Amino acid sequence: MSSEAQSRPAGRDAGKGLRLAVLASGTGTNLQALLDQVHGHDGVEIVAVVSNKPDARALARARAAQIPTAVFPLAEYGGDRSARDLAIGAWLREHDVELVVLAGYMQILSEGFLKLFPNAVINVHPALLPAFQGLDAVGQALRYGVKVFGVTVHFVDSGVDSGPVIAQRAVALPDARTEDDVFAVLHGIEHELLPEAVRLYARGALQLDPAGGRRVLIAS
Ligand code: GRF
């Protein structure tokens, strides 16, 4: 095996429970899907929920499930994103978090944070990456005039929505006109795909191809 191949992460030890954190900025329907479908099942526990916004509905969902929450507004760190992200990382470390899930977290994470959780940050994006990266993905897709929309769950790297793809699902919506039309369908897909990706991670079924490249192998 080459040294490059040896350095690529294998699937985790499925024998131990998975402690995960969710970062969310908005309404938190994806957090709710994780609470309903994976929290407390097969050794998976959501042990911390973080937001950058004090009024995020996601925080209320976490509190209702008795999960510790914390808010890290950028303004409290003088706009220093790296410092804010390291504070988040330290808080997550205190909670012994292994996997970080971004569920509508509308901030870019700095490299220092990603180094604390190598190959252990995943994101859900409402488009078929690499199409329509970044903000307003559904608006971008509508303006482009696509007929097929979709959802991607991927590992997070230092780029914007550019990390290795874990799962994708497409849906034909040739008559969609508004973002509400599209999100009405995409949210349902997200609420299946993201919990499934977390379950796969938890049982050690995800592995970056040891032969190299970006492909994420999924063990059956
Ligand atoms: C989702 O559409 C997700 O793809 C995007 O942000 C949205 C969050 O929705 N990254 P919610 O807060 O989970 O309801």
Side-chain angles (χ1 to χ4, degrees):
M1 192 187 277
S2 73
S3 58
E4 200 266 346
Q6 279 168 340
S7 73
R8 295 177 76 80
R12 66 187 292 274
D13 171 10
K16 77 177 186 151
L18 176 66
R19 294 171 66 82
L20 73 95
V22 178
L23 275 52
S25 305
T27 56
T29 64
N30 281 284
L31 167 63
Q32 193 64 54
L34 293 169
L35 287 168
D36 294 343
Q37 297 177 47
V38 303
H39 180 57
H41 297 273
D42 301 322
V44 181
E45 300 291 334
I46 300 175
V47 296
V49 171
V50 165
S51 187
N52 58 314
K53 294 194 168 170
D55 57 352
R57 172 103 194 278
L59 293 168
R61 295 179 191 271
R63 285 186 209 111
Q66 276 99 46
I67 291 167
T69 62
V71 183
F72 294 85
L74 192 53
E76 280 184 16
Y77 297 84
D80 182 342
R81 205 161 49 83
S82 299
R84 190 272 304 272
D85 291 357
L86 286 178
I88 296 174
W91 192 72
L92 298 184
R93 282 285 183 87
E94 278 171 30
H95 287 78
D96 207 12
V97 165
E98 175 182 338
L99 176 70
V100 178
V101 177
L102 310 185
Y105 186 62
M106 306 307 283
Q107 305 269 287
I108 310 270
L109 286 167
S110 40
E111 298 239 11
F113 181 93
L114 295 175
K115 281 195 182 125
L116 292 173
F117 300 96
N119 296 299
V121 182
I122 70 178
N123 181 44
V124 58
H125 184 74
L128 293 171
L129 293 172
F132 311 124
Q133 293 162 311
L135 291 174
D136 189 26
V138 170
Q140 292 182 55
L142 280 166
R143 287 190 291 279
Y144 196 89
V146 300
K147 308 289 190 207
V148 175
F149 296 78
V151 171
T152 303
V153 178
H154 64 95
F155 283 113
V156 173
D157 65 10
S158 56
V160 176
D161 300 320
S162 57
V165 170
I166 299 169
Q168 290 186 304
R169 193 180 301 165
V171 59
L173 297 172
D175 300 322
R177 292 287 177 272
T178 68
E179 293 192 24
D180 284 350
D181 294 342
V182 179
F183 272 118
V185 177
L186 292 195
H187 273 316
I189 295 175
E190 291 181 339
H191 299 164
E192 290 180 17
L193 226 52
L194 184 60
E196 180 57 16
V198 171
R199 282 190 289 266
L200 289 170
Y201 184 96
R203 68 174 169 83
L206 301 180
Q207 184 185 13
L208 266 179
D209 188 346
R214 298 172 45 90
R215 183 175 291 270
V216 176
L217 304 181
I218 299 180
S220 51

